[in-house]
């Protein structure tokens, strides 16, 4: 690892870890921040292989902390893939309707979330693919005005599973948004987008970062609180995150 003030993102299995090198550190310090960002501060000269090994050895602790911090992982009732079960899309609940035939395996039709019987054996996969497709077509138009307002040139936007996090962003401005985000009301999706756009300017959750978020979205704290409270209502199948 180079010694510099820059933050590097190190991917360890399904975790993105923000790595910061500090001249003053003698030992590696691993932390989980309030919004579930995992970061590590290391002394200069720490090797990447060594760091990956250390992070892996503390996985249990990390996941415990992440579960604690992130309401996205708490107390979620399991869903059944039967007609009548409720699924959220853009903040509204839609009842599942199992149909025998249909043009696509999952579609939203007259307020019902239709799922074709022949994909029921892999219902969660089909539903995740549907949320992902909706995200891919809906999110870019939503992102554009925020990116303009915040003076961010966006790279690619991908919709994918992100474990415990709503979103992540690379230093080059590519955004990843969790497919589960598509269950949130639009104004909370905006908060997730603004948060990630602010990271293009400021990687770490510093005072400058939160000022950047607040400048773009003055009521960001209220939205963040609602996001925390809403998290547990979302559908997030255990093995597919
Ligand atoms: Zn963040």
């Amino acid at each position: 690892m180079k010694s510099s003030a820059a933050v590097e993102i190190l991917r360890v299995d399904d975790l993105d870890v923000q790595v910061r090198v500090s001249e003053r550190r003698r030992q590696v310090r691993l932390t989980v921040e309030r919004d579930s960002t995992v970061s590590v501060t290391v002394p200069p000269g720490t090797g990447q292989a060594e760091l990956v090994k250390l992070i892996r050895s503390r996985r249990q602790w990390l996941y415990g902390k992440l579960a604690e911090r992130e309401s996205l992982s708490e107390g979620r009732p399991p869903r059944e893939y039967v007609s009548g079960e409720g699924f959220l899309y853009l903040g509204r609940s839609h009842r599942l309707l199992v149909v025998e035939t249909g043009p696509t395996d999952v579609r939203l039709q007259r307020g019902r979330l239709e799922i074709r019987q022949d994909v029921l054996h892999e219902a969660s996969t089909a539903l995740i693919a549907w949320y992902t497709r909706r995200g891919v077509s809906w999110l870019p138009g939503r992102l554009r005005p925020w990116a303009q307002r915040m003076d961010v040139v966006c790279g690619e936007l991908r919709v994918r599973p992100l474990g415990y996090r709503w979103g992540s962003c690379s230093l080059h401005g590519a955004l990843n948004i969790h497919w589960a985000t598509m269950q949130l009301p639009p104004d909370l999706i905006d908060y997730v987008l603004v948060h990630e756009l602010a990271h293009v300017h400021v990687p770490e959750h510093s005072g400058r970062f939160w000022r950047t978020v607040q400048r773009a979205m003055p009521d960001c704290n209220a939205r963040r609180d609602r996001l925390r409270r809403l998290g547990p209502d979302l559908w997030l199948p255990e093995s597919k995150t």
Side-chain angles (χ1 to χ4, degrees), residues 1-10 17-23 39-44 51 171-172 199 201-204 208:
M1 305 265 138
K2 306 189 292 287
S3 174
S4 73
V7 177
E8 282 182 57
I9 308 291
L10 176 65
V17 181
Q18 297 191 347
V19 183
R20 213 171 282 111
V21 178
S22 166
E23 300 285 349
S39 61
V40 65
T41 315
V42 302
L51 191 54
L171 296 179
H172 315 290
H199 274 312
H201 289 300
V202 192
E204 72 285 345
R208 190 159 78 88

Side-chain angles (χ1 to χ4, degrees), residues 18 35 37 167 195-196 199 203 205 209-210:
Q18 297 191 347
D35 77 333
T37 304
H195 184 115
E196 296 311 324
H199 274 312
H205 293 117
F209 171 81
W210 293 114

